[in-house]
Amino acid sequence: MESLSLAASSLCTSQGGPMERHCYPGSVSLVGFSSPRLKTPSFPKNLKKRSFGLVRASAAVETKVAIIRIGTRGSPLALAQAHETRNKLMALHPELAQEGAIQIVIIKTTGDKILSQPLADIGGKGLFTKEIDEALINSQIDIAVHSMKDVPTYLPEKTILPCNLQREDVRDAFISLSAASLAELPAGSIVGTASLRRKSQILHRYPSLKVMENFRGNVQTRLRKLNEGVVQATLLALAGLKRLSMTENVTNILSVDDMLPAVAQGAIGIACRSNDEKMANYLGSLNHEETRFAVACERAFLETLDGSCRTPIAGYACKDENGDCVFRGLVASPDGTRVLETSRKGSYTLQDMIKMGKDAGKELLSQAGPGFFDQ
């Protein structure tokens, strides 16, 4: 049997009490962690270890005040996204390429702390963003790097999100040691996913399969569970696997026809304080307009539906060969027995695309009828 490969370099994730700040000279600090030390997780012997290049603490004490403090979660994927942001800033702005000019601040969020329950049971919006946004508002950081699919449709007061980096591949990856695709999994096979969107679409197409809903943890943790036989397969965002250079684990890539992506999947959003013109200008230099428009369209759809974290919702906007916007949206019952879909096509302009997203959301609200979103 094959084993899966896991990227293995990570900063310590020891859990602390009240919010604390520990600075790693010249590069990294932690918010909400109790001990300032580097640590790599232990791995089973049959799993290959590989690093994706985290910032290392410098041996000499760096006294220079950082020009930009980047706030991020501490998972390997979140850090990869923060480093992508840092590298783009350094490439475009010479003053940011100096040692110590950019500092990465790791912040532990509610979603990181509570791993024993399904996300839908924890409830609330902003499970992976709230503490980072609070650090931004309180000037503990200067910019906040988020996975856009984690960002609520409203932004906290005193913050703006002026930048989306160019979107990665939006598709989901199927990963299994025993089957080449979802269709080839034997009846009764267990697929692990923490996403109700994935669960509902899997069960709608393959009702003979079972879904382990509380299949949580970072990419490495989920692949380890799969390797240990906890589940027979899992689905992960291809974008994350690409950013972690872990695509060798992919068994099959699902088309958007087979698995419509989450709203804003594959997109990185970067926020700053609304009164911080300097940071807004830095972020404006990184913004990818095509991505920003697509994300705005999808989030308008989500906002109109006002779905709770218990409602499976998917939405994807893209540019076709003629330069027009094509949007597809979906809502479903959690058990996959009822799936409602719609689509729109129009000009690839911000206002038209926001209107398309809202109109699609209103249509599905009307189709769903009373009580659909209260399940």
Side-chain angles (χ1 to χ4, degrees):
M1 178 181 290
E2 296 180 33
S3 64
L4 296 169
S5 170
L6 280 71
S9 185
S10 175
L11 290 165
C12 80
T13 56
S14 56
Q15 296 186 16
M19 181 173 285
E20 299 178 15
R21 183 186 184 90
H22 301 289
C23 290
Y24 287 84
S27 57
V28 181
S29 70
L30 299 172
V31 173
F33 288 72
S34 61
S35 56
R37 69 178 185 272
L38 291 173
K39 174 182 176 183
T40 56
S42 58
F43 287 80
K45 292 180 181 178
N46 63 329
L47 295 177
K48 186 173 66 178
K49 193 182 284 188
R50 189 178 69 252
S51 166
F52 66 89
L54 292 179
V55 178
R56 299 294 180 185
S58 144
V61 175
E62 175 62 63
T63 58
K64 180 178 179 180
V65 176
I67 298 173
I68 298 181
R69 297 162 298 168
I70 300 176
T72 176
R73 294 169 59 203
S75 72
L77 177 55
L79 286 168
Q81 294 178 164
H83 294 161
E84 180 179 343
T85 302
R86 179 202 63 180
N87 294 342
K88 288 179 181 295
L89 285 167
M90 291 171 65
L92 285 175
H93 304 281
E95 71 276 16
L96 300 180
Q98 303 300 313
E99 183 178 358
I102 299 179
Q103 182 186 45
I104 292 176
V105 180
I106 299 172
I107 300 168
K108 205 159 196 179
T109 67
T110 301
D112 298 315
K113 295 172 185 175
I114 305 175
L115 295 174
S116 59
Q117 299 172 254
L119 291 173
D121 290 349
I122 301 172
K125 302 287 180 72
L127 290 173
F128 294 106
T129 60
K130 181 175 179 287
E131 287 80 0
I132 299 174
D133 289 333
E134 288 173 348
L136 180 62
I137 293 168
N138 294 330
S139 298
Q140 293 173 294
I141 58 175
D142 301 301
I143 64 174
V145 177
H146 298 301
S147 291
M148 278 304 301
K149 65 182 180 60
D150 294 333
V151 177
T153 51
Y154 61 88
L155 296 177
E157 289 185 19
K158 302 180 182 179
T159 71
I160 56 173
L161 205 155
C163 174
N164 288 126
L165 300 186
Q166 185 169 359
R167 197 173 200 172
E168 240 309 348
D169 200 314
V170 302
R171 294 173 296 174
D172 282 318
F174 172 80
I175 305 175
S176 176
L177 299 176
S178 59
S181 66
L182 282 167
E184 292 187 19
L185 285 170
S189 295
I190 301 173
V191 181
T193 177
S195 163
L196 291 182
R197 170 190 64 85
R198 292 183 179 121
K199 174 187 175 181
S200 63
Q201 292 185 75
I202 291 169
L203 294 179
H204 181 68
R205 289 178 175 271
Y206 307 101
S208 66
L209 298 178
K210 297 179 180 179
V211 174
M212 179 183 287
E213 191 174 309
N214 191 27
F215 194 72
R216 294 191 53 207
N218 62 34
V219 171
Q220 289 82 352
T221 299
R222 296 185 211 189
L223 292 182
R224 184 183 293 116
K225 289 178 181 178
L226 176 60
N227 202 48
E228 292 169 351
V230 176
V231 296
Q232 283 70 63
T234 188
L235 300 184
L236 295 172
L238 184 58
L241 294 170
K242 285 188 172 185
R243 289 184 175 124
L244 289 169
S245 299
M246 294 177 67
T247 54
E248 74 273 15
N249 292 306
V250 174
T251 305
N252 195 9
I253 298 174
L254 281 66
S255 72
V256 294
D257 293 327
D258 291 331
M259 182 63 63
L260 199 62
V263 165
Q265 182 159 310
I268 295 172
I270 313 174
C272 66
R273 288 180 291 279
S274 54
N275 63 354
D276 195 335
E277 185 178 353
K278 181 178 180 181
M279 292 302 133
N281 288 335
Y282 276 135
L283 296 185
S285 69
L286 302 186
N287 182 56
H288 187 256
E289 280 290 85
E290 184 176 325
T291 297
R292 188 170 75 89
F293 287 10
V295 167
C297 176
E298 295 165 20
R299 283 167 61 82
F301 171 72
L302 180 62
E303 183 179 19
T304 301
L305 290 170
D306 193 28
S308 72
C309 51
R310 290 186 173 277
T311 307
I313 297 174
Y316 176 48
C318 62
K319 185 179 286 188
D320 68 9
E321 63 275 8
N322 298 318
D324 293 324
C325 173
V326 176
F327 172 78
R328 293 178 56 187
L330 172 154
V331 296
S333 58
D335 62 3
T337 55
R338 192 176 178 202
V339 174
L340 306 175
E341 298 182 70
T342 188
S343 62
R344 294 289 186 280
K345 185 173 180 177
S347 66
Y348 209 97
T349 58
L350 182 60
Q351 293 308 314
D352 283 355
M353 291 170 69
I354 290 174
K355 185 176 182 299
M356 274 190 275
K358 289 181 177 179
D359 187 56
K362 289 175 183 176
E363 180 191 333
L364 292 190
L365 276 176
S366 175
Q367 283 188 39
F372 185 88
F373 293 93
D374 299 327
Q375 299 181 57

mmCIF file of all heavy atoms in Angstrom, residues 299-341:
data_model
loop_
_atom_site.group_PDB
_atom_site.id
_atom_site.type_symbol
_atom_site.label_atom_id
_atom_site.label_comp_id
_atom_site.label_asym_id
_atom_site.label_seq_id
_atom_site.Cartn_x
_atom_site.Cartn_y
_atom_site.Cartn_z
ATOM 1 N N ARG A 299 -19.315 36.279 -3.442
ATOM 2 C CA ARG A 299 -19.691 36.712 -2.097
ATOM 3 C C ARG A 299 -21.038 37.445 -2.084
ATOM 4 O O ARG A 299 -21.764 37.395 -1.089
ATOM 5 C CB ARG A 299 -18.575 37.572 -1.500
ATOM 6 C CG ARG A 299 -17.399 36.726 -1.023
ATOM 7 C CD ARG A 299 -16.164 37.566 -0.732
ATOM 8 N NE ARG A 299 -16.345 38.565 0.300
ATOM 9 C CZ ARG A 299 -16.284 38.339 1.609
ATOM 10 N NH1 ARG A 299 -16.068 37.104 2.055
ATOM 11 N NH2 ARG A 299 -16.432 39.318 2.482
ATOM 12 N N ALA A 300 -21.382 38.085 -3.185
ATOM 13 C CA ALA A 300 -22.709 38.698 -3.294
ATOM 14 C C ALA A 300 -23.789 37.612 -3.295
ATOM 15 O O ALA A 300 -24.855 37.772 -2.691
ATOM 16 C CB ALA A 300 -22.797 39.539 -4.570
ATOM 17 N N PHE A 301 -23.508 36.513 -3.963
ATOM 18 C CA PHE A 301 -24.403 35.350 -3.973
ATOM 19 C C PHE A 301 -24.574 34.810 -2.555
ATOM 20 O O PHE A 301 -25.700 34.600 -2.077
ATOM 21 C CB PHE A 301 -23.806 34.293 -4.902
ATOM 22 C CG PHE A 301 -24.471 32.948 -4.868
ATOM 23 C CD1 PHE A 301 -25.730 32.753 -5.419
ATOM 24 C CD2 PHE A 301 -23.821 31.846 -4.317
ATOM 25 C CE1 PHE A 301 -26.338 31.494 -5.405
ATOM 26 C CE2 PHE A 301 -24.411 30.597 -4.297
ATOM 27 C CZ PHE A 301 -25.681 30.420 -4.838
ATOM 28 N N LEU A 302 -23.451 34.605 -1.856
ATOM 29 C CA LEU A 302 -23.473 34.078 -0.493
ATOM 30 C C LEU A 302 -24.201 35.018 0.461
ATOM 31 O O LEU A 302 -25.008 34.585 1.293
ATOM 32 C CB LEU A 302 -22.039 33.847 -0.013
ATOM 33 C CG LEU A 302 -21.853 33.298 1.401
ATOM 34 C CD1 LEU A 302 -22.481 31.919 1.540
ATOM 35 C CD2 LEU A 302 -20.362 33.244 1.749
ATOM 36 N N GLU A 303 -23.930 36.304 0.334
ATOM 37 C CA GLU A 303 -24.559 37.285 1.214
ATOM 38 C C GLU A 303 -26.070 37.317 1.027
ATOM 39 O O GLU A 303 -26.833 37.442 1.987
ATOM 40 C CB GLU A 303 -23.966 38.675 0.955
ATOM 41 C CG GLU A 303 -24.513 39.755 1.877
ATOM 42 C CD GLU A 303 -23.879 41.113 1.605
ATOM 43 O OE1 GLU A 303 -23.319 41.303 0.509
ATOM 44 O OE2 GLU A 303 -23.953 41.971 2.497
ATOM 45 N N THR A 304 -26.510 37.190 -0.212
ATOM 46 C CA THR A 304 -27.948 37.202 -0.498
ATOM 47 C C THR A 304 -28.632 35.986 0.128
ATOM 48 O O THR A 304 -29.728 36.080 0.691
ATOM 49 C CB THR A 304 -28.198 37.219 -2.018
ATOM 50 O OG1 THR A 304 -27.569 38.374 -2.580
ATOM 51 C CG2 THR A 304 -29.682 37.235 -2.336
ATOM 52 N N LEU A 305 -27.985 34.844 0.046
ATOM 53 C CA LEU A 305 -28.535 33.629 0.649
ATOM 54 C C LEU A 305 -28.485 33.702 2.171
ATOM 55 O O LEU A 305 -29.310 33.102 2.854
ATOM 56 C CB LEU A 305 -27.749 32.403 0.178
ATOM 57 C CG LEU A 305 -27.934 32.019 -1.294
ATOM 58 C CD1 LEU A 305 -26.925 30.959 -1.689
ATOM 59 C CD2 LEU A 305 -29.358 31.510 -1.528
ATOM 60 N N ASP A 306 -27.477 34.417 2.681
ATOM 61 C CA ASP A 306 -27.306 34.538 4.129
ATOM 62 C C ASP A 306 -27.330 33.166 4.785
ATOM 63 O O ASP A 306 -27.942 32.950 5.821
ATOM 64 C CB ASP A 306 -28.397 35.431 4.744
ATOM 65 C CG ASP A 306 -28.057 35.831 6.184
ATOM 66 O OD1 ASP A 306 -26.860 35.894 6.506
ATOM 67 O OD2 ASP A 306 -28.988 36.063 6.967
ATOM 68 N N GLY A 307 -26.656 32.224 4.153
ATOM 69 C CA GLY A 307 -26.641 30.863 4.675
ATOM 70 C C GLY A 307 -25.857 30.756 5.960
ATOM 71 O O GLY A 307 -24.863 31.450 6.162
ATOM 72 N N SER A 308 -26.316 29.888 6.845
ATOM 73 C CA SER A 308 -25.564 29.631 8.063
ATOM 74 C C SER A 308 -24.453 28.646 7.744
ATOM 75 O O SER A 308 -24.355 28.111 6.639
ATOM 76 C CB SER A 308 -26.481 29.034 9.127
ATOM 77 O OG SER A 308 -26.819 27.700 8.792
ATOM 78 N N CYS A 309 -23.584 28.382 8.743
ATOM 79 C CA CYS A 309 -22.518 27.411 8.511
ATOM 80 C C CYS A 309 -23.079 25.996 8.414
ATOM 81 O O CYS A 309 -22.351 25.050 8.153
ATOM 82 C CB CYS A 309 -21.467 27.503 9.618
ATOM 83 S SG CYS A 309 -22.167 27.434 11.269
ATOM 84 N N ARG A 310 -24.391 25.823 8.631
ATOM 85 C CA ARG A 310 -25.037 24.527 8.464
ATOM 86 C C ARG A 310 -25.651 24.369 7.075
ATOM 87 O O ARG A 310 -26.287 23.357 6.797
ATOM 88 C CB ARG A 310 -26.129 24.339 9.527
ATOM 89 C CG ARG A 310 -25.577 24.153 10.929
ATOM 90 C CD ARG A 310 -26.700 23.818 11.903
ATOM 91 N NE ARG A 310 -26.180 23.482 13.209
ATOM 92 C CZ ARG A 310 -25.715 22.293 13.569
ATOM 93 N NH1 ARG A 310 -25.703 21.321 12.688
ATOM 94 N NH2 ARG A 310 -25.274 22.068 14.783
ATOM 95 N N THR A 311 -25.515 25.367 6.227
ATOM 96 C CA THR A 311 -26.102 25.314 4.889
ATOM 97 C C THR A 311 -25.023 25.077 3.846
ATOM 98 O O THR A 311 -24.130 25.905 3.684
ATOM 99 C CB THR A 311 -26.825 26.631 4.555
ATOM 100 O OG1 THR A 311 -27.755 26.937 5.588
ATOM 101 C CG2 THR A 311 -27.555 26.516 3.227
ATOM 102 N N PRO A 312 -25.059 23.957 3.125
ATOM 103 C CA PRO A 312 -24.101 23.741 2.036
ATOM 104 C C PRO A 312 -24.357 24.728 0.893
ATOM 105 O O PRO A 312 -25.445 24.739 0.303
ATOM 106 C CB PRO A 312 -24.379 22.307 1.587
ATOM 107 C CG PRO A 312 -25.089 21.666 2.745
ATOM 108 C CD PRO A 312 -25.891 22.775 3.367
ATOM 109 N N ILE A 313 -23.387 25.575 0.606
ATOM 110 C CA ILE A 313 -23.487 26.572 -0.458
ATOM 111 C C ILE A 313 -22.211 26.523 -1.282
ATOM 112 O O ILE A 313 -21.111 26.429 -0.736
ATOM 113 C CB ILE A 313 -23.671 27.989 0.116
ATOM 114 C CG1 ILE A 313 -24.993 28.089 0.890
ATOM 115 C CG2 ILE A 313 -23.633 29.050 -0.985
ATOM 116 C CD1 ILE A 313 -25.187 29.408 1.620
ATOM 117 N N ALA A 314 -22.344 26.579 -2.595
ATOM 118 C CA ALA A 314 -21.192 26.624 -3.485
ATOM 119 C C ALA A 314 -21.428 27.692 -4.534
ATOM 120 O O ALA A 314 -22.575 27.963 -4.917
ATOM 121 C CB ALA A 314 -20.977 25.265 -4.160
ATOM 122 N N GLY A 315 -20.359 28.323 -5.003
ATOM 123 C CA GLY A 315 -20.498 29.352 -6.035
ATOM 124 C C GLY A 315 -19.177 29.593 -6.728
ATOM 125 O O GLY A 315 -18.128 29.628 -6.073
ATOM 126 N N TYR A 316 -19.234 29.761 -8.045
ATOM 127 C CA TYR A 316 -17.995 29.959 -8.807
ATOM 128 C C TYR A 316 -18.240 30.872 -9.992
ATOM 129 O O TYR A 316 -19.119 30.624 -10.820
ATOM 130 C CB TYR A 316 -17.453 28.609 -9.290
ATOM 131 C CG TYR A 316 -16.228 28.701 -10.155
ATOM 132 C CD1 TYR A 316 -15.145 29.491 -9.793
ATOM 133 C CD2 TYR A 316 -16.136 27.970 -11.346
ATOM 134 C CE1 TYR A 316 -14.010 29.571 -10.586
ATOM 135 C CE2 TYR A 316 -15.008 28.034 -12.140
ATOM 136 C CZ TYR A 316 -13.951 28.834 -11.759
ATOM 137 O OH TYR A 316 -12.823 28.909 -12.544
ATOM 138 N N ALA A 317 -17.452 31.947 -10.067
ATOM 139 C CA ALA A 317 -17.507 32.882 -11.192
ATOM 140 C C ALA A 317 -16.174 32.845 -11.926
ATOM 141 O O ALA A 317 -15.112 32.833 -11.296
ATOM 142 C CB ALA A 317 -17.782 34.299 -10.699
ATOM 143 N N CYS A 318 -16.222 32.831 -13.240
ATOM 144 C CA CYS A 318 -14.980 32.814 -14.027
ATOM 145 C C CYS A 318 -15.200 33.539 -15.346
ATOM 146 O O CYS A 318 -16.330 33.858 -15.726
ATOM 147 C CB CYS A 318 -14.511 31.381 -14.281
ATOM 148 S SG CYS A 318 -15.669 30.390 -15.252
ATOM 149 N N LYS A 319 -14.103 33.799 -16.028
ATOM 150 C CA LYS A 319 -14.150 34.472 -17.323
ATOM 151 C C LYS A 319 -14.118 33.420 -18.430
ATOM 152 O O LYS A 319 -13.256 32.535 -18.427
ATOM 153 C CB LYS A 319 -12.961 35.431 -17.463
ATOM 154 C CG LYS A 319 -12.980 36.267 -18.730
ATOM 155 C CD LYS A 319 -11.798 37.215 -18.789
ATOM 156 C CE LYS A 319 -11.944 38.378 -17.844
ATOM 157 N NZ LYS A 319 -10.876 39.397 -18.041
ATOM 158 N N ASP A 320 -15.058 33.501 -19.375
ATOM 159 C CA ASP A 320 -15.068 32.520 -20.468
ATOM 160 C C ASP A 320 -14.176 32.984 -21.623
ATOM 161 O O ASP A 320 -13.498 34.025 -21.533
ATOM 162 C CB ASP A 320 -16.499 32.237 -20.937
ATOM 163 C CG ASP A 320 -17.170 33.422 -21.627
ATOM 164 O OD1 ASP A 320 -16.484 34.438 -21.915
ATOM 165 O OD2 ASP A 320 -18.392 33.341 -21.885
ATOM 166 N N GLU A 321 -14.195 32.223 -22.706
ATOM 167 C CA GLU A 321 -13.301 32.509 -23.828
ATOM 168 C C GLU A 321 -13.620 33.831 -24.522
ATOM 169 O O GLU A 321 -12.775 34.401 -25.220
ATOM 170 C CB GLU A 321 -13.339 31.361 -24.850
ATOM 171 C CG GLU A 321 -14.685 31.123 -25.513
ATOM 172 C CD GLU A 321 -15.612 30.239 -24.692
ATOM 173 O OE1 GLU A 321 -15.273 29.936 -23.532
ATOM 174 O OE2 GLU A 321 -16.690 29.867 -25.216
ATOM 175 N N ASN A 322 -14.822 34.340 -24.311
ATOM 176 C CA ASN A 322 -15.209 35.620 -24.905
ATOM 177 C C ASN A 322 -14.989 36.801 -23.962
ATOM 178 O O ASN A 322 -15.331 37.938 -24.284
ATOM 179 C CB ASN A 322 -16.686 35.574 -25.325
ATOM 180 C CG ASN A 322 -16.949 34.520 -26.394
ATOM 181 O OD1 ASN A 322 -16.158 34.377 -27.331
ATOM 182 N ND2 ASN A 322 -18.037 33.784 -26.248
ATOM 183 N N GLY A 323 -14.454 36.516 -22.781
ATOM 184 C CA GLY A 323 -14.216 37.581 -21.816
ATOM 185 C C GLY A 323 -15.410 37.923 -20.953
ATOM 186 O O GLY A 323 -15.381 38.897 -20.200
ATOM 187 N N ASP A 324 -16.487 37.124 -21.044
ATOM 188 C CA ASP A 324 -17.675 37.350 -20.223
ATOM 189 C C ASP A 324 -17.574 36.584 -18.913
ATOM 190 O O ASP A 324 -16.783 35.647 -18.771
ATOM 191 C CB ASP A 324 -18.937 36.899 -20.973
ATOM 192 C CG ASP A 324 -19.237 37.762 -22.177
ATOM 193 O OD1 ASP A 324 -18.988 38.980 -22.104
ATOM 194 O OD2 ASP A 324 -19.720 37.221 -23.196
ATOM 195 N N CYS A 325 -18.392 36.958 -17.957
ATOM 196 C CA CYS A 325 -18.456 36.251 -16.680
ATOM 197 C C CYS A 325 -19.498 35.142 -16.760
ATOM 198 O O CYS A 325 -20.632 35.365 -17.210
ATOM 199 C CB CYS A 325 -18.822 37.204 -15.546
ATOM 200 S SG CYS A 325 -19.132 36.381 -13.962
ATOM 201 N N VAL A 326 -19.128 33.966 -16.317
ATOM 202 C CA VAL A 326 -20.065 32.859 -16.163
ATOM 203 C C VAL A 326 -20.097 32.492 -14.683
ATOM 204 O O VAL A 326 -19.055 32.205 -14.083
ATOM 205 C CB VAL A 326 -19.648 31.633 -17.004
ATOM 206 C CG1 VAL A 326 -20.602 30.470 -16.742
ATOM 207 C CG2 VAL A 326 -19.620 31.979 -18.479
ATOM 208 N N PHE A 327 -21.268 32.537 -14.092
ATOM 209 C CA PHE A 327 -21.412 32.216 -12.673
ATOM 210 C C PHE A 327 -22.320 31.011 -12.499
ATOM 211 O O PHE A 327 -23.353 30.887 -13.150
ATOM 212 C CB PHE A 327 -22.000 33.401 -11.895
ATOM 213 C CG PHE A 327 -22.336 33.047 -10.470
ATOM 214 C CD1 PHE A 327 -21.338 32.966 -9.505
ATOM 215 C CD2 PHE A 327 -23.651 32.766 -10.092
ATOM 216 C CE1 PHE A 327 -21.638 32.605 -8.201
ATOM 217 C CE2 PHE A 327 -23.965 32.421 -8.787
ATOM 218 C CZ PHE A 327 -22.949 32.336 -7.835
ATOM 219 N N ARG A 328 -21.924 30.130 -11.585
ATOM 220 C CA ARG A 328 -22.758 28.988 -11.212
ATOM 221 C C ARG A 328 -22.898 28.972 -9.699
ATOM 222 O O ARG A 328 -21.919 29.169 -8.971
ATOM 223 C CB ARG A 328 -22.121 27.671 -11.677
ATOM 224 C CG ARG A 328 -22.071 27.519 -13.177
ATOM 225 C CD ARG A 328 -21.393 26.208 -13.556
ATOM 226 N NE ARG A 328 -22.048 25.057 -12.945
ATOM 227 C CZ ARG A 328 -21.566 23.819 -13.015
ATOM 228 N NH1 ARG A 328 -20.425 23.577 -13.626
ATOM 229 N NH2 ARG A 328 -22.220 22.826 -12.452
ATOM 230 N N GLY A 329 -24.117 28.745 -9.213
ATOM 231 C CA GLY A 329 -24.358 28.706 -7.779
ATOM 232 C C GLY A 329 -25.168 27.490 -7.390
ATOM 233 O O GLY A 329 -25.923 26.931 -8.208
ATOM 234 N N LEU A 330 -25.020 27.062 -6.140
ATOM 235 C CA LEU A 330 -25.680 25.846 -5.665
ATOM 236 C C LEU A 330 -25.973 25.975 -4.176
ATOM 237 O O LEU A 330 -25.170 26.508 -3.406
ATOM 238 C CB LEU A 330 -24.766 24.642 -5.927
ATOM 239 C CG LEU A 330 -25.082 23.258 -5.396
ATOM 240 C CD1 LEU A 330 -24.428 22.199 -6.285
ATOM 241 C CD2 LEU A 330 -24.629 23.055 -3.943
ATOM 242 N N VAL A 331 -27.129 25.494 -3.768
ATOM 243 C CA VAL A 331 -27.424 25.264 -2.354
ATOM 244 C C VAL A 331 -27.970 23.849 -2.237
ATOM 245 O O VAL A 331 -28.539 23.309 -3.194
ATOM 246 C CB VAL A 331 -28.437 26.276 -1.771
ATOM 247 C CG1 VAL A 331 -27.873 27.678 -1.790
ATOM 248 C CG2 VAL A 331 -29.764 26.208 -2.514
ATOM 249 N N ALA A 332 -27.786 23.237 -1.071
ATOM 250 C CA ALA A 332 -28.201 21.848 -0.910
ATOM 251 C C ALA A 332 -28.627 21.584 0.517
ATOM 252 O O ALA A 332 -28.283 22.323 1.446
ATOM 253 C CB ALA A 332 -27.049 20.909 -1.295
ATOM 254 N N SER A 333 -29.384 20.522 0.694
ATOM 255 C CA SER A 333 -29.644 20.032 2.048
ATOM 256 C C SER A 333 -28.390 19.282 2.504
ATOM 257 O O SER A 333 -27.664 18.703 1.683
ATOM 258 C CB SER A 333 -30.847 19.090 2.045
ATOM 259 O OG SER A 333 -30.624 17.990 1.160
ATOM 260 N N PRO A 334 -28.100 19.284 3.803
ATOM 261 C CA PRO A 334 -26.866 18.642 4.276
ATOM 262 C C PRO A 334 -26.740 17.166 3.893
ATOM 263 O O PRO A 334 -25.628 16.672 3.698
ATOM 264 C CB PRO A 334 -26.950 18.817 5.801
ATOM 265 C CG PRO A 334 -27.763 20.050 5.993
ATOM 266 C CD PRO A 334 -28.794 20.007 4.896
ATOM 267 N N ASP A 335 -27.877 16.465 3.774
ATOM 268 C CA ASP A 335 -27.805 15.041 3.428
ATOM 269 C C ASP A 335 -27.758 14.794 1.921
ATOM 270 O O ASP A 335 -27.713 13.649 1.461
ATOM 271 C CB ASP A 335 -28.980 14.276 4.040
ATOM 272 C CG ASP A 335 -30.336 14.762 3.514
ATOM 273 O OD1 ASP A 335 -30.382 15.645 2.631
ATOM 274 O OD2 ASP A 335 -31.372 14.255 4.000
ATOM 275 N N GLY A 336 -27.753 15.888 1.135
ATOM 276 C CA GLY A 336 -27.625 15.761 -0.313
ATOM 277 C C GLY A 336 -28.877 15.325 -1.041
ATOM 278 O O GLY A 336 -28.857 15.143 -2.262
ATOM 279 N N THR A 337 -29.989 15.176 -0.333
ATOM 280 C CA THR A 337 -31.207 14.720 -1.007
ATOM 281 C C THR A 337 -31.831 15.803 -1.874
ATOM 282 O O THR A 337 -32.588 15.505 -2.796
ATOM 283 C CB THR A 337 -32.249 14.240 0.027
ATOM 284 O OG1 THR A 337 -32.486 15.285 0.968
ATOM 285 C CG2 THR A 337 -31.750 12.990 0.754
ATOM 286 N N ARG A 338 -31.509 17.045 -1.565
ATOM 287 C CA ARG A 338 -32.060 18.151 -2.362
ATOM 288 C C ARG A 338 -30.942 19.106 -2.735
ATOM 289 O O ARG A 338 -30.254 19.661 -1.871
ATOM 290 C CB ARG A 338 -33.141 18.879 -1.569
ATOM 291 C CG ARG A 338 -33.957 19.841 -2.424
ATOM 292 C CD ARG A 338 -35.083 20.461 -1.636
ATOM 293 N NE ARG A 338 -35.832 21.418 -2.461
ATOM 294 C CZ ARG A 338 -36.567 22.394 -1.968
ATOM 295 N NH1 ARG A 338 -36.695 22.542 -0.651
ATOM 296 N NH2 ARG A 338 -37.206 23.214 -2.774
ATOM 297 N N VAL A 339 -30.730 19.309 -4.018
ATOM 298 C CA VAL A 339 -29.699 20.210 -4.532
ATOM 299 C C VAL A 339 -30.345 21.164 -5.532
ATOM 300 O O VAL A 339 -31.007 20.726 -6.485
ATOM 301 C CB VAL A 339 -28.551 19.437 -5.210
ATOM 302 C CG1 VAL A 339 -27.577 20.411 -5.870
ATOM 303 C CG2 VAL A 339 -27.812 18.571 -4.188
ATOM 304 N N LEU A 340 -30.161 22.462 -5.308
ATOM 305 C CA LEU A 340 -30.718 23.483 -6.199
ATOM 306 C C LEU A 340 -29.569 24.231 -6.858
ATOM 307 O O LEU A 340 -28.630 24.657 -6.186
ATOM 308 C CB LEU A 340 -31.587 24.458 -5.410
ATOM 309 C CG LEU A 340 -32.699 23.848 -4.551
ATOM 310 C CD1 LEU A 340 -33.393 24.934 -3.750
ATOM 311 C CD2 LEU A 340 -33.700 23.097 -5.425
ATOM 312 N N GLU A 341 -29.633 24.399 -8.166
ATOM 313 C CA GLU A 341 -28.546 25.046 -8.900
ATOM 314 C C GLU A 341 -29.097 26.129 -9.823
ATOM 315 O O GLU A 341 -30.245 26.068 -10.272
ATOM 316 C CB GLU A 341 -27.772 24.024 -9.731
ATOM 317 C CG GLU A 341 -27.105 22.936 -8.908
ATOM 318 C CD GLU A 341 -26.307 21.975 -9.767
ATOM 319 O OE1 GLU A 341 -25.251 22.394 -10.292
ATOM 320 O OE2 GLU A 341 -26.737 20.814 -9.917
#
